mmCIF file of all heavy atoms in Angstrom:
data_model
loop_
_atom_site.group_PDB
_atom_site.id
_atom_site.type_symbol
_atom_site.label_atom_id
_atom_site.label_comp_id
_atom_site.label_asym_id
_atom_site.label_seq_id
_atom_site.Cartn_x
_atom_site.Cartn_y
_atom_site.Cartn_z
ATOM 1 N N ILE A 1 11.768 6.387 -0.396
ATOM 2 C CA ILE A 1 10.821 5.585 0.385
ATOM 3 C C ILE A 1 11.128 5.761 1.886
ATOM 4 O O ILE A 1 12.330 5.598 2.238
ATOM 5 C CB ILE A 1 10.816 4.147 0.004
ATOM 6 C CG1 ILE A 1 10.442 3.933 -1.458
ATOM 7 C CG2 ILE A 1 9.965 3.220 0.896
ATOM 8 C CD1 ILE A 1 10.595 2.501 -1.984
ATOM 9 N N ASP A 2 10.156 6.037 2.733
ATOM 10 C CA ASP A 2 10.375 6.189 4.130
ATOM 11 C C ASP A 2 10.256 4.840 4.755
ATOM 12 O O ASP A 2 9.168 4.395 5.222
ATOM 13 C CB ASP A 2 9.266 7.175 4.667
ATOM 14 C CG ASP A 2 9.493 7.442 6.192
ATOM 15 O OD1 ASP A 2 10.427 6.805 6.751
ATOM 16 O OD2 ASP A 2 8.775 8.296 6.685
ATOM 17 N N TRP A 3 11.333 4.050 4.838
ATOM 18 C CA TRP A 3 11.270 2.755 5.434
ATOM 19 C C TRP A 3 10.991 2.703 6.964
ATOM 20 O O TRP A 3 10.473 1.748 7.464
ATOM 21 C CB TRP A 3 12.620 2.010 5.098
ATOM 22 C CG TRP A 3 12.773 1.746 3.666
ATOM 23 C CD1 TRP A 3 13.548 2.406 2.789
ATOM 24 C CD2 TRP A 3 12.078 0.722 2.929
ATOM 25 N NE1 TRP A 3 13.443 1.876 1.581
ATOM 26 C CE2 TRP A 3 12.494 0.823 1.576
ATOM 27 C CE3 TRP A 3 11.109 -0.240 3.282
ATOM 28 C CZ2 TRP A 3 12.023 0.038 0.570
ATOM 29 C CZ3 TRP A 3 10.679 -1.051 2.283
ATOM 30 C CH2 TRP A 3 11.094 -0.936 0.957
ATOM 31 N N HIS A 4 11.300 3.776 7.640
ATOM 32 C CA HIS A 4 10.953 3.914 9.018
ATOM 33 C C HIS A 4 9.453 3.884 9.240
ATOM 34 O O HIS A 4 8.937 3.307 10.173
ATOM 35 C CB HIS A 4 11.606 5.121 9.668
ATOM 36 C CG HIS A 4 13.058 5.134 9.748
ATOM 37 N ND1 HIS A 4 13.749 4.330 10.636
ATOM 38 C CD2 HIS A 4 14.038 5.762 8.987
ATOM 39 C CE1 HIS A 4 15.017 4.515 10.470
ATOM 40 N NE2 HIS A 4 15.244 5.386 9.454
ATOM 41 N N ASN A 5 8.756 4.482 8.315
ATOM 42 C CA ASN A 5 7.234 4.538 8.441
ATOM 43 C C ASN A 5 6.730 3.141 8.073
ATOM 44 O O ASN A 5 5.790 2.701 8.755
ATOM 45 C CB ASN A 5 6.720 5.609 7.480
ATOM 46 C CG ASN A 5 5.248 5.887 7.714
ATOM 47 O OD1 ASN A 5 4.735 5.602 8.789
ATOM 48 N ND2 ASN A 5 4.554 6.448 6.725
ATOM 49 N N ILE A 6 7.243 2.494 7.119
ATOM 50 C CA ILE A 6 6.738 1.221 6.680
ATOM 51 C C ILE A 6 7.053 0.177 7.782
ATOM 52 O O ILE A 6 6.183 -0.728 7.958
ATOM 53 C CB ILE A 6 7.471 0.765 5.363
ATOM 54 C CG1 ILE A 6 6.947 1.689 4.186
ATOM 55 C CG2 ILE A 6 7.130 -0.715 5.035
ATOM 56 C CD1 ILE A 6 7.690 1.435 2.883
ATOM 57 N N HIS A 7 8.105 0.270 8.415
ATOM 58 C CA HIS A 7 8.523 -0.628 9.482
ATOM 59 C C HIS A 7 7.459 -0.717 10.590
ATOM 60 O O HIS A 7 7.343 -1.720 11.338
ATOM 61 C CB HIS A 7 9.835 -0.345 10.036
ATOM 62 C CG HIS A 7 10.359 -1.300 11.065
ATOM 63 N ND1 HIS A 7 10.814 -2.543 10.691
ATOM 64 C CD2 HIS A 7 10.540 -1.142 12.424
ATOM 65 C CE1 HIS A 7 11.182 -3.180 11.843
ATOM 66 N NE2 HIS A 7 11.023 -2.366 12.867
ATOM 67 N N LYS A 8 6.660 0.338 10.797
ATOM 68 C CA LYS A 8 5.603 0.374 11.856
ATOM 69 C C LYS A 8 4.481 -0.531 11.550
ATOM 70 O O LYS A 8 3.695 -0.905 12.436
ATOM 71 C CB LYS A 8 5.136 1.811 11.984
ATOM 72 C CG LYS A 8 6.110 2.825 12.403
ATOM 73 C CD LYS A 8 5.539 4.252 12.444
ATOM 74 C CE LYS A 8 6.577 5.259 12.578
ATOM 75 N NZ LYS A 8 6.040 6.630 12.477
ATOM 76 N N PHE A 9 4.284 -0.930 10.278
ATOM 77 C CA PHE A 9 3.153 -1.711 9.821
ATOM 78 C C PHE A 9 3.492 -3.174 9.833
ATOM 79 O O PHE A 9 4.651 -3.562 9.628
ATOM 80 C CB PHE A 9 2.694 -1.346 8.455
ATOM 81 C CG PHE A 9 2.150 0.072 8.365
ATOM 82 C CD1 PHE A 9 2.955 1.099 8.035
ATOM 83 C CD2 PHE A 9 0.832 0.320 8.629
ATOM 84 C CE1 PHE A 9 2.498 2.411 7.962
ATOM 85 C CE2 PHE A 9 0.301 1.568 8.468
ATOM 86 C CZ PHE A 9 1.167 2.709 8.222
ATOM 87 N N HIS A 10 2.482 -4.041 10.084
ATOM 88 C CA HIS A 10 2.624 -5.487 10.058
ATOM 89 C C HIS A 10 1.469 -6.110 9.261
ATOM 90 O O HIS A 10 0.280 -5.875 9.664
ATOM 91 C CB HIS A 10 2.687 -6.010 11.528
ATOM 92 C CG HIS A 10 3.847 -5.531 12.249
ATOM 93 N ND1 HIS A 10 5.029 -6.124 12.255
ATOM 94 C CD2 HIS A 10 4.030 -4.473 13.106
ATOM 95 C CE1 HIS A 10 5.902 -5.473 12.998
ATOM 96 N NE2 HIS A 10 5.259 -4.414 13.549
ATOM 97 N N GLY A 11 1.749 -6.837 8.239
ATOM 98 C CA GLY A 11 0.792 -7.608 7.531
ATOM 99 C C GLY A 11 -0.227 -6.702 6.741
ATOM 100 O O GLY A 11 -1.318 -7.067 6.436
ATOM 101 N N LYS A 12 0.246 -5.523 6.314
ATOM 102 C CA LYS A 12 -0.629 -4.565 5.615
ATOM 103 C C LYS A 12 -0.276 -4.595 4.115
ATOM 104 O O LYS A 12 0.760 -5.124 3.666
ATOM 105 C CB LYS A 12 -0.403 -3.179 6.165
ATOM 106 C CG LYS A 12 -0.742 -3.012 7.614
ATOM 107 C CD LYS A 12 -2.199 -3.274 7.850
ATOM 108 C CE LYS A 12 -2.539 -3.006 9.391
ATOM 109 N NZ LYS A 12 -3.957 -3.184 9.613
ATOM 110 N N VAL A 13 -1.172 -3.935 3.310
ATOM 111 C CA VAL A 13 -0.853 -3.673 1.913
ATOM 112 C C VAL A 13 -0.643 -2.215 1.807
ATOM 113 O O VAL A 13 -1.492 -1.372 2.205
ATOM 114 C CB VAL A 13 -2.055 -4.128 1.016
ATOM 115 C CG1 VAL A 13 -1.827 -3.744 -0.436
ATOM 116 C CG2 VAL A 13 -2.340 -5.558 1.183
ATOM 117 N N ILE A 14 0.547 -1.851 1.309
ATOM 118 C CA ILE A 14 0.959 -0.415 1.182
ATOM 119 C C ILE A 14 1.283 -0.112 -0.241
ATOM 120 O O ILE A 14 2.040 -0.887 -0.878
ATOM 121 C CB ILE A 14 2.173 -0.220 2.091
ATOM 122 C CG1 ILE A 14 1.885 -0.485 3.575
ATOM 123 C CG2 ILE A 14 2.720 1.178 1.951
ATOM 124 C CD1 ILE A 14 3.044 -0.596 4.467
ATOM 125 N N VAL A 15 0.756 0.979 -0.708
ATOM 126 C CA VAL A 15 1.062 1.463 -2.100
ATOM 127 C C VAL A 15 1.919 2.644 -1.861
ATOM 128 O O VAL A 15 1.634 3.644 -1.144
ATOM 129 C CB VAL A 15 -0.259 1.924 -2.795
ATOM 130 C CG1 VAL A 15 0.134 2.438 -4.177
ATOM 131 C CG2 VAL A 15 -1.157 0.688 -2.984
ATOM 132 N N ILE A 16 3.021 2.659 -2.575
ATOM 133 C CA ILE A 16 3.951 3.852 -2.666
ATOM 134 C C ILE A 16 3.893 4.291 -4.108
ATOM 135 O O ILE A 16 4.239 3.551 -5.000
ATOM 136 C CB ILE A 16 5.357 3.443 -2.239
ATOM 137 C CG1 ILE A 16 5.302 3.001 -0.834
ATOM 138 C CG2 ILE A 16 6.266 4.680 -2.408
ATOM 139 C CD1 ILE A 16 6.622 2.486 -0.268
ATOM 140 N N ALA A 17 3.389 5.532 -4.273
ATOM 141 C CA ALA A 17 3.178 5.978 -5.646
ATOM 142 C C ALA A 17 3.931 7.325 -5.924
ATOM 143 O O ALA A 17 4.319 8.017 -4.951
ATOM 144 C CB ALA A 17 1.684 6.183 -5.897
ATOM 145 N N ASP A 18 4.030 7.672 -7.117
ATOM 146 C CA ASP A 18 4.580 8.936 -7.559
ATOM 147 C C ASP A 18 5.965 9.199 -6.978
ATOM 148 O O ASP A 18 6.184 10.175 -6.304
ATOM 149 C CB ASP A 18 3.605 10.060 -7.184
ATOM 150 C CG ASP A 18 2.272 9.862 -7.860
ATOM 151 O OD1 ASP A 18 2.202 9.327 -9.030
ATOM 152 O OD2 ASP A 18 1.253 10.227 -7.199
ATOM 153 N N GLU A 19 6.860 8.267 -7.213
ATOM 154 C CA GLU A 19 8.280 8.376 -6.795
ATOM 155 C C GLU A 19 8.390 8.525 -5.254
ATOM 156 O O GLU A 19 9.310 9.213 -4.751
ATOM 157 C CB GLU A 19 8.918 9.531 -7.534
ATOM 158 C CG GLU A 19 8.948 9.350 -9.021
ATOM 159 C CD GLU A 19 9.749 8.119 -9.489
ATOM 160 O OE1 GLU A 19 10.789 7.898 -8.852
ATOM 161 O OE2 GLU A 19 9.327 7.418 -10.398
ATOM 162 N N GLY A 20 7.500 7.932 -4.501
ATOM 163 C CA GLY A 20 7.547 8.016 -3.033
ATOM 164 C C GLY A 20 6.814 9.187 -2.416
ATOM 165 O O GLY A 20 6.757 9.307 -1.192
ATOM 166 N N ARG A 21 6.227 10.041 -3.216
ATOM 167 C CA ARG A 21 5.469 11.196 -2.674
ATOM 168 C C ARG A 21 4.121 10.804 -2.091
ATOM 169 O O ARG A 21 3.556 11.560 -1.323
ATOM 170 C CB ARG A 21 5.372 12.263 -3.719
ATOM 171 C CG ARG A 21 6.675 12.932 -4.065
ATOM 172 C CD ARG A 21 6.476 14.060 -5.088
ATOM 173 N NE ARG A 21 5.909 13.691 -6.347
ATOM 174 C CZ ARG A 21 6.562 13.174 -7.332
ATOM 175 N NH1 ARG A 21 7.884 13.100 -7.248
ATOM 176 N NH2 ARG A 21 6.011 12.820 -8.498
ATOM 177 N N ALA A 22 3.590 9.650 -2.528
ATOM 178 C CA ALA A 22 2.276 9.224 -2.032
ATOM 179 C C ALA A 22 2.425 7.883 -1.267
ATOM 180 O O ALA A 22 3.081 7.011 -1.789
ATOM 181 C CB ALA A 22 1.299 9.095 -3.184
ATOM 182 N N PHE A 23 1.891 7.809 -0.077
ATOM 183 C CA PHE A 23 1.929 6.617 0.682
ATOM 184 C C PHE A 23 0.495 6.254 1.159
ATOM 185 O O PHE A 23 -0.137 7.007 1.860
ATOM 186 C CB PHE A 23 2.810 6.878 1.894
ATOM 187 C CG PHE A 23 3.001 5.665 2.811
ATOM 188 C CD1 PHE A 23 4.122 4.907 2.699
ATOM 189 C CD2 PHE A 23 2.087 5.458 3.837
ATOM 190 C CE1 PHE A 23 4.331 3.827 3.591
ATOM 191 C CE2 PHE A 23 2.246 4.373 4.658
ATOM 192 C CZ PHE A 23 3.346 3.581 4.604
ATOM 193 N N ILE A 24 0.001 5.117 0.709
ATOM 194 C CA ILE A 24 -1.398 4.713 0.965
ATOM 195 C C ILE A 24 -1.404 3.357 1.564
ATOM 196 O O ILE A 24 -0.818 2.431 0.985
ATOM 197 C CB ILE A 24 -2.276 4.774 -0.346
ATOM 198 C CG1 ILE A 24 -2.180 6.140 -0.980
ATOM 199 C CG2 ILE A 24 -3.624 4.415 -0.033
ATOM 200 C CD1 ILE A 24 -1.258 6.165 -2.117
ATOM 201 N N GLU A 25 -2.108 3.189 2.682
ATOM 202 C CA GLU A 25 -2.362 1.861 3.317
ATOM 203 C C GLU A 25 -3.708 1.459 2.844
ATOM 204 O O GLU A 25 -4.673 2.112 3.103
ATOM 205 C CB GLU A 25 -2.293 1.930 4.822
ATOM 206 C CG GLU A 25 -2.631 0.610 5.454
ATOM 207 C CD GLU A 25 -2.916 0.693 6.944
ATOM 208 O OE1 GLU A 25 -2.686 1.737 7.525
ATOM 209 O OE2 GLU A 25 -3.287 -0.323 7.533
ATOM 210 N N LEU A 26 -3.772 0.277 2.126
ATOM 211 C CA LEU A 26 -5.058 -0.258 1.652
ATOM 212 C C LEU A 26 -5.690 -1.056 2.789
ATOM 213 O O LEU A 26 -5.014 -1.943 3.325
ATOM 214 C CB LEU A 26 -4.833 -1.034 0.421
ATOM 215 C CG LEU A 26 -4.153 -0.357 -0.808
ATOM 216 C CD1 LEU A 26 -4.092 -1.295 -1.936
ATOM 217 C CD2 LEU A 26 -4.969 0.843 -1.214
ATOM 218 N N GLU A 27 -6.923 -0.827 3.020
ATOM 219 C CA GLU A 27 -7.605 -1.530 4.065
ATOM 220 C C GLU A 27 -8.726 -2.377 3.346
ATOM 221 O O GLU A 27 -9.202 -2.033 2.329
ATOM 222 C CB GLU A 27 -8.276 -0.620 5.056
ATOM 223 C CG GLU A 27 -7.156 0.237 5.788
ATOM 224 C CD GLU A 27 -7.743 0.942 6.942
ATOM 225 O OE1 GLU A 27 -8.811 0.553 7.459
ATOM 226 O OE2 GLU A 27 -7.125 1.881 7.309
ATOM 227 N N ASP A 28 -8.970 -3.472 4.018
ATOM 228 C CA ASP A 28 -10.019 -4.396 3.542
ATOM 229 C C ASP A 28 -9.822 -4.927 2.085
ATOM 230 O O ASP A 28 -10.716 -4.966 1.276
ATOM 231 C CB ASP A 28 -11.396 -3.732 3.604
ATOM 232 C CG ASP A 28 -11.785 -3.387 5.071
ATOM 233 O OD1 ASP A 28 -11.456 -4.148 5.955
ATOM 234 O OD2 ASP A 28 -12.393 -2.341 5.253
ATOM 235 N N VAL A 29 -8.545 -5.216 1.788
ATOM 236 C CA VAL A 29 -8.263 -5.789 0.461
ATOM 237 C C VAL A 29 -7.671 -7.188 0.729
ATOM 238 O O VAL A 29 -6.954 -7.446 1.692
ATOM 239 C CB VAL A 29 -7.240 -4.924 -0.375
ATOM 240 C CG1 VAL A 29 -7.881 -3.605 -0.769
ATOM 241 C CG2 VAL A 29 -5.930 -4.746 0.348
ATOM 242 N N ASP A 30 -7.949 -8.021 -0.219
ATOM 243 C CA ASP A 30 -7.361 -9.437 -0.174
ATOM 244 C C ASP A 30 -5.956 -9.461 -0.775
ATOM 245 O O ASP A 30 -5.884 -9.212 -1.959
ATOM 246 C CB ASP A 30 -8.316 -10.329 -0.836
ATOM 247 C CG ASP A 30 -8.025 -11.774 -0.771
ATOM 248 O OD1 ASP A 30 -6.829 -12.118 -0.418
ATOM 249 O OD2 ASP A 30 -8.910 -12.578 -0.996
ATOM 250 N N LYS A 31 -5.011 -9.842 0.029
ATOM 251 C CA LYS A 31 -3.629 -9.812 -0.552
ATOM 252 C C LYS A 31 -3.503 -10.798 -1.705
ATOM 253 O O LYS A 31 -2.762 -10.562 -2.690
ATOM 254 C CB LYS A 31 -2.605 -10.210 0.577
ATOM 255 C CG LYS A 31 -2.280 -9.148 1.507
ATOM 256 C CD LYS A 31 -1.174 -9.619 2.371
ATOM 257 C CE LYS A 31 -0.835 -8.609 3.482
ATOM 258 N NZ LYS A 31 0.207 -9.124 4.380
ATOM 259 N N GLU A 32 -4.196 -11.934 -1.602
ATOM 260 C CA GLU A 32 -4.126 -12.922 -2.709
ATOM 261 C C GLU A 32 -4.661 -12.333 -4.032
ATOM 262 O O GLU A 32 -4.115 -12.692 -5.113
ATOM 263 C CB GLU A 32 -4.995 -14.151 -2.358
ATOM 264 C CG GLU A 32 -4.570 -14.836 -1.054
ATOM 265 C CD GLU A 32 -3.521 -15.834 -1.248
ATOM 266 O OE1 GLU A 32 -3.520 -16.472 -2.282
ATOM 267 O OE2 GLU A 32 -2.709 -16.061 -0.302
ATOM 268 N N VAL A 33 -5.675 -11.478 -3.973
ATOM 269 C CA VAL A 33 -6.170 -10.852 -5.224
ATOM 270 C C VAL A 33 -5.303 -9.727 -5.651
ATOM 271 O O VAL A 33 -4.911 -9.716 -6.848
ATOM 272 C CB VAL A 33 -7.653 -10.347 -4.949
ATOM 273 C CG1 VAL A 33 -8.133 -9.532 -6.095
ATOM 274 C CG2 VAL A 33 -8.585 -11.502 -4.634
ATOM 275 N N ILE A 34 -4.893 -8.876 -4.740
ATOM 276 C CA ILE A 34 -4.091 -7.707 -5.173
ATOM 277 C C ILE A 34 -2.752 -8.085 -5.677
ATOM 278 O O ILE A 34 -2.213 -7.358 -6.561
ATOM 279 C CB ILE A 34 -4.069 -6.708 -4.009
ATOM 280 C CG1 ILE A 34 -3.725 -5.270 -4.495
ATOM 281 C CG2 ILE A 34 -3.016 -7.060 -3.003
ATOM 282 C CD1 ILE A 34 -4.838 -4.409 -4.607
ATOM 283 N N VAL A 35 -2.134 -9.105 -5.278
ATOM 284 C CA VAL A 35 -0.838 -9.486 -5.709
ATOM 285 C C VAL A 35 -0.887 -9.947 -7.159
ATOM 286 O O VAL A 35 0.176 -9.884 -7.868
ATOM 287 C CB VAL A 35 -0.160 -10.635 -4.813
ATOM 288 C CG1 VAL A 35 -0.714 -11.988 -5.035
ATOM 289 C CG2 VAL A 35 1.318 -10.564 -4.916
ATOM 290 N N ASN A 36 -1.970 -10.295 -7.686
ATOM 291 C CA ASN A 36 -2.160 -10.760 -9.043
ATOM 292 C C ASN A 36 -2.688 -9.604 -9.949
ATOM 293 O O ASN A 36 -2.921 -9.807 -11.110
ATOM 294 C CB ASN A 36 -3.052 -11.946 -9.148
ATOM 295 C CG ASN A 36 -2.422 -13.170 -8.490
ATOM 296 O OD1 ASN A 36 -1.288 -13.544 -8.827
ATOM 297 N ND2 ASN A 36 -3.132 -13.859 -7.561
ATOM 298 N N CYS A 37 -2.804 -8.409 -9.419
ATOM 299 C CA CYS A 37 -3.352 -7.347 -10.177
ATOM 300 C C CYS A 37 -2.183 -6.407 -10.732
ATOM 301 O O CYS A 37 -1.155 -6.278 -10.116
ATOM 302 C CB CYS A 37 -4.246 -6.402 -9.303
ATOM 303 S SG CYS A 37 -5.771 -7.189 -8.854
ATOM 304 N N ASP A 38 -2.468 -5.813 -11.847
ATOM 305 C CA ASP A 38 -1.486 -4.863 -12.423
ATOM 306 C C ASP A 38 -1.973 -3.444 -12.188
ATOM 307 O O ASP A 38 -1.205 -2.474 -12.276
ATOM 308 C CB ASP A 38 -1.334 -5.071 -13.918
ATOM 309 C CG ASP A 38 -0.651 -6.380 -14.197
ATOM 310 O OD1 ASP A 38 0.188 -6.756 -13.405
ATOM 311 O OD2 ASP A 38 -1.026 -7.013 -15.240
ATOM 312 N N THR A 39 -3.269 -3.264 -11.910
ATOM 313 C CA THR A 39 -3.851 -1.947 -11.711
ATOM 314 C C THR A 39 -4.857 -2.057 -10.566
ATOM 315 O O THR A 39 -5.606 -2.994 -10.479
ATOM 316 C CB THR A 39 -4.640 -1.417 -12.969
ATOM 317 O OG1 THR A 39 -3.751 -1.465 -14.078
ATOM 318 C CG2 THR A 39 -5.143 -0.021 -12.760
ATOM 319 N N TYR A 40 -4.831 -1.006 -9.678
ATOM 320 C CA TYR A 40 -5.730 -0.985 -8.488
ATOM 321 C C TYR A 40 -6.483 0.368 -8.643
ATOM 322 O O TYR A 40 -5.809 1.402 -8.875
ATOM 323 C CB TYR A 40 -4.970 -1.058 -7.212
ATOM 324 C CG TYR A 40 -5.954 -0.961 -5.994
ATOM 325 C CD1 TYR A 40 -6.640 -2.088 -5.669
ATOM 326 C CD2 TYR A 40 -5.985 0.200 -5.295
ATOM 327 C CE1 TYR A 40 -7.499 -1.980 -4.515
ATOM 328 C CE2 TYR A 40 -6.795 0.279 -4.109
ATOM 329 C CZ TYR A 40 -7.575 -0.794 -3.808
ATOM 330 O OH TYR A 40 -8.395 -0.744 -2.681
ATOM 331 N N VAL A 41 -7.753 0.332 -8.441
ATOM 332 C CA VAL A 41 -8.597 1.504 -8.645
ATOM 333 C C VAL A 41 -9.338 1.847 -7.380
ATOM 334 O O VAL A 41 -9.904 0.986 -6.738
ATOM 335 C CB VAL A 41 -9.650 1.328 -9.829
ATOM 336 C CG1 VAL A 41 -10.581 2.525 -9.919
ATOM 337 C CG2 VAL A 41 -8.909 0.989 -11.127
ATOM 338 N N THR A 42 -9.243 3.170 -7.000
ATOM 339 C CA THR A 42 -10.054 3.669 -5.887
ATOM 340 C C THR A 42 -10.954 4.731 -6.464
ATOM 341 O O THR A 42 -10.654 5.403 -7.465
ATOM 342 C CB THR A 42 -9.245 4.234 -4.784
ATOM 343 O OG1 THR A 42 -8.441 5.356 -5.261
ATOM 344 C CG2 THR A 42 -8.258 3.224 -4.218
ATOM 345 N N TYR A 43 -12.054 4.919 -5.802
ATOM 346 C CA TYR A 43 -12.933 6.023 -6.245
ATOM 347 C C TYR A 43 -13.643 6.635 -5.040
ATOM 348 O O TYR A 43 -13.846 5.984 -3.982
ATOM 349 C CB TYR A 43 -14.001 5.583 -7.238
ATOM 350 C CG TYR A 43 -14.778 4.295 -6.849
ATOM 351 C CD1 TYR A 43 -15.980 4.423 -6.120
ATOM 352 C CD2 TYR A 43 -14.308 2.994 -7.177
ATOM 353 C CE1 TYR A 43 -16.633 3.283 -5.746
ATOM 354 C CE2 TYR A 43 -14.988 1.885 -6.839
ATOM 355 C CZ TYR A 43 -16.141 2.045 -6.110
ATOM 356 O OH TYR A 43 -16.883 0.895 -5.700
ATOM 357 N N ASN A 44 -13.983 7.917 -5.201
ATOM 358 C CA ASN A 44 -14.653 8.660 -4.116
ATOM 359 C C ASN A 44 -15.797 9.437 -4.799
ATOM 360 O O ASN A 44 -15.535 10.366 -5.605
ATOM 361 C CB ASN A 44 -13.667 9.574 -3.436
ATOM 362 C CG ASN A 44 -14.261 10.340 -2.249
ATOM 363 O OD1 ASN A 44 -15.332 9.951 -1.796
ATOM 364 N ND2 ASN A 44 -13.549 11.330 -1.732
#
């Protein structure tokens, strides 16, 4: 995990996936909702 990169963020939701190879900042998500989820889905 690149903690130096994470330290730059404040009040964000960050997903670290695939043993640290993927780093995603989630925008426009409600922390109250996401903290109670077991799965998050994105689609394009």
Side-chain angles (χ1 to χ4, degrees):
I1 298 174
D2 184 355
W3 291 104
H4 293 286
N5 193 22
I6 291 172
H7 184 71
K8 298 175 190 175
F9 294 93
H10 297 275
K12 302 294 183 177
V13 178
I14 299 167
V15 177
I16 300 172
D18 302 326
E19 299 298 319
R21 291 184 298 273
F23 181 95
I24 303 102
E25 177 192 353
L26 301 181
E27 297 190 23
D28 300 323
V29 295
D30 185 341
K31 281 187 187 178
E32 302 272 330
V33 172
I34 200 104
V35 78
N36 292 308
C37 292
D38 294 325
T39 305
Y40 180 76
V41 177
T42 63
Y43 51 89
N44 186 13

